[in-house]
Amino acid sequence: MALSLFSYLSHSHNNLYLSSSFKDSTTPWRHTTTTTTTSPYTHFMLPLKTNSSSLNFICMAMAPKQYDVTSISSKETMPDTDDHPPTNQNVSVFEQGNNNVKSLIATILIFVQISTPISFIGCNFWSDSTANAVLYSPDTNVPRTGELALRRAIPANSNMKAIQASLEDISYLLRIPQRKPYGTMEGNVKKALKIATDGKDSILGSIPADLREKGSVLYTSLVEGKVGLQALLKYIKDQDPDKVSVGLANALETVAEIELLQAPGISFLLPEPYLKYPRLAGRGTVEFIIEKGDGSAFIPQVGGEPIKAATIQVIIDGYSAPLTAGNFAKLVVEGAYNGAKLTNANQALLTESAVDKNIGYSVPLEIMPSGQFEPLYKTALSVQDGELPVLPLSVYGSVAMSHSVDSDEYSSPNQFFFYLYDKRNSGLGGISFEEGQFSVFGYVTVGREILPEIKTGDVIRSAKLLEGEDKLVLPAAES
């Protein structure tokens, strides 16, 4: 979706709307068909809640001419109309210029307030609700990498989640240019160390007995190891941002390994009607071998030698989308995607609907909202109301199922797509316009640099389930 070159403000009663027009190119991944259609400009409006006084201020600022009918004097210029004949025309050029400057400043302030999270003293343009924070803050705390999204999706011990959150805050602090808040970073690591030390029994007790020895080794590495929290603390005290970045990545990797040992599989009860569906009780890794349809070679943008066959690996997540990931894993095992052609269609690499047989069931739309413990079925999320999924679409290389051709409440039984997230074609806050509308079930973790090289007609030569087949639960009739 390419935004057009204009956006404008309109208002209705006490609600202010940021209104834009954008051209909706083809989005065939909404349905199983790959037929591309074009549509005219689509109009969308996002509500910005505001009070009456700020609305009046904004309306005055945006008006081409400024007339305050509540305070204008008989000596001030009124519009030349039949009802209001000209009065005193002796308004100085200086006063007119001053009014224009005031209007310009007001307009600039409005757009700065809309486009940044800065609060102006005395100006409460809209309430600081969750929905506004999600839609209008460029610092929205949405995972921007597949690895981060997958780590957050692990259903682990609360102490480990608190350690993870404390460390992830440091990654945001590292983005601050020039003088970085090393004191705050140090406090975050010390907080994580305290949680790890005080909660040792709880952390290790959440790991199954047969995996506890491995968990104990990882725990010791996290707390005392050369790539653990103590080492990270030293890098922060040395104020070396490069070492801090590496040390943080190592610590978070260890955190994820411990959490995966704690994860119980599917941590919620599936609805009765879906117990007969394939499901993935954990994580799996799928490897795709992609070849150019015309026999040429891939030339990765990051450099390297041209390659005839490119490898892409996807981690699929049954913790948050067990039915979607389970159905996909089953199809991969059956070889359903071997030889499937790809179509490059509007920020998505779409597979053809290549599976001929009827799978015998309809996979529902499956999305787990952030902060919830089980997915919603057949229900899309409302990002405008502050809802965000645990597995967001707004990540480059996210993998999701297309919609069913019959209903958006169901996913396609077999057609999936790689999403090529582009912040330039996203909404405010960097959130995709399609966020919360599709069943996302995984992310590309190896071979992301290949995705922009894939064109219409390229072929999935093979797809294999490298890890996770032991976690694939099939209905009794098929197992």
Side-chain angles (χ1 to χ4, degrees):
M1 298 181 184
L3 285 174
S4 64
L5 296 178
F6 65 93
S7 61
Y8 55 92
L9 289 170
S10 62
H11 62 87
S12 173
H13 304 296
N14 289 334
N15 289 326
L16 179 71
Y17 291 85
L18 176 65
S19 178
S20 299
S21 293
F22 60 91
K23 185 177 291 183
D24 187 354
S25 312
T26 57
T27 52
W29 29 285
R30 280 189 171 280
H31 306 288
T32 54
T33 177
T34 57
T35 303
T36 58
T37 58
T38 58
S39 62
Y41 284 99
T42 303
H43 192 68
F44 73 98
M45 304 185 78
L46 302 177
L48 297 174
K49 296 180 180 179
T50 182
N51 55 37
S52 299
S53 61
S54 61
L55 177 61
N56 291 336
F57 169 70
I58 292 173
C59 292
M60 290 173 61
M62 294 303 296
K65 294 185 178 181
Q66 310 301 320
Y67 297 110
D68 186 349
V69 296
T70 63
S71 61
I72 194 165
S73 68
S74 60
K75 294 184 179 181
E76 291 177 318
T77 304
M78 292 290 290
D80 294 342
T81 65
D82 293 338
D83 296 331
H84 296 283
T87 55
N88 187 357
Q89 301 294 331
N90 297 323
V91 178
S92 70
V93 174
F94 175 78
E95 289 175 332
Q96 292 180 10
N98 192 31
N99 288 336
N100 290 337
V101 170
K102 290 179 180 178
S103 300
L104 177 60
I105 293 174
T107 305
I108 293 172
L109 287 175
I110 293 167
F111 279 99
V112 170
Q113 178 68 12
I114 290 174
S115 61
T116 69
I118 299 172
S119 297
F120 293 115
I121 298 174
C123 296
N124 182 23
F125 292 108
W126 52 77
S127 60
D128 294 327
S129 65
T130 303
N132 287 336
V134 168
L135 286 173
Y136 306 116
S137 172
D139 297 320
T140 299
N141 195 15
V142 176
R144 294 306 184 192
T145 67
E147 290 80 1
L148 176 55
L150 289 166
R151 185 167 61 240
R152 289 186 180 177
I154 303 172
N157 174 277
S158 59
N159 284 323
M160 289 306 302
K161 284 300 179 185
I163 293 171
Q164 177 184 323
S166 184
L167 295 179
E168 285 179 352
D169 283 345
I170 297 175
S171 65
Y172 291 99
L173 296 175
L174 279 172
R175 299 177 188 175
I176 298 175
Q178 298 175 353
R179 190 167 184 175
K180 301 184 184 299
Y182 288 105
T184 305
M185 296 182 198
E186 183 177 341
N188 282 28
V189 177
K190 288 181 177 179
K191 176 183 176 182
L193 273 169
K194 179 172 174 53
I195 296 171
T197 303
D198 295 347
K200 179 179 180 180
D201 292 342
S202 172
I203 291 171
L204 295 179
S206 298
I207 300 174
D210 58 328
L211 298 173
R212 199 161 295 157
E213 183 178 350
K214 181 179 180 181
S216 181
V217 172
L218 288 170
Y219 172 85
T220 303
S221 175
L222 176 65
V223 175
E224 304 173 3
K226 294 181 179 179
V227 293
L229 298 178
Q230 294 289 358
L232 178 58
L233 195 58
K234 179 181 182 302
Y235 299 148
I236 291 174
K237 289 180 178 179
D238 292 341
Q239 298 191 3
D240 188 329
D242 293 331
K243 288 186 178 180
V244 170
S245 181
V246 173
L248 178 62
N250 290 332
L252 284 171
E253 184 177 347
T254 305
V255 166
E257 290 184 68
I258 295 174
E259 290 180 343
L260 287 171
L261 294 180
Q262 295 175 333
I266 300 177
S267 59
F268 51 87
L269 295 176
L270 287 170
E272 180 72 25
Y274 303 141
L275 292 177
K276 62 182 179 180
Y277 292 7
R279 56 189 181 274
L280 187 67
R283 292 266 167 90
T285 303
V286 176
E287 182 180 82
F288 296 94
I289 304 298
I290 313 290
E291 294 181 355
K292 302 294 289 183
D294 59 4
S296 60
F298 289 99
I299 305 177
Q301 293 180 349
V302 295
E305 295 294 326
I307 50 177
K308 285 285 187 179
T311 299
I312 292 175
Q313 288 187 3
V314 174
I315 292 182
I316 57 177
D317 182 49
Y319 297 132
S320 303
L323 299 183
T324 309
N327 180 62
F328 182 78
K330 173 178 175 286
L331 292 172
V332 169
V333 170
E334 293 174 348
Y337 298 110
N338 296 341
K341 291 183 179 180
L342 293 165
T343 299
N344 193 323
N346 189 35
Q347 288 188 240
L349 299 173
L350 182 74
T351 59
E352 64 181 353
S353 186
V355 183
D356 296 327
K357 71 174 185 176
N358 186 351
I359 63 175
Y361 51 87
S362 298
V363 181
L365 186 70
E366 183 179 40
I367 305 174
M368 182 180 286
S370 181
Q372 301 298 315
F373 299 100
E374 59 184 356
L376 296 176
Y377 290 99
K378 300 195 292 185
T379 304
L381 300 189
S382 174
V383 175
Q384 278 187 282
D385 292 332
E387 294 180 326
L388 287 173
V390 171
L391 301 178
L393 182 70
S394 305
V395 174
Y396 190 87
S398 56
V399 184
M401 298 303 296
S402 301
H403 284 163
S404 167
V405 69
D406 299 317
S407 171
D408 286 355
E409 292 184 354
Y410 293 89
S411 294
S412 166
N414 48 63
Q415 188 180 48
F416 74 96
F417 61 91
F418 300 99
Y419 187 64
L420 309 181
Y421 168 76
D422 188 344
K423 187 175 182 179
R424 296 169 298 180
N425 294 333
S426 299
L428 297 177
I431 298 176
S432 167
F433 292 116
E434 304 291 341
E435 189 62 82
Q437 307 299 308
F438 292 89
S439 296
V440 177
F441 62 93
Y443 297 92
V444 174
T445 56
V446 175
R448 271 189 294 257
E449 71 279 2
I450 296 297
L451 295 179
E453 296 292 311
I454 297 176
K455 307 300 180 185
T456 297
D458 293 348
V459 179
I460 298 176
R461 187 56 58 205
S462 67
K464 296 180 181 178
L465 185 62
L466 298 183
E467 298 177 3
E469 191 166 357
D470 58 323
K471 299 171 184 175
L472 177 60
V473 180
L474 300 174
E478 298 186 20
S479 58

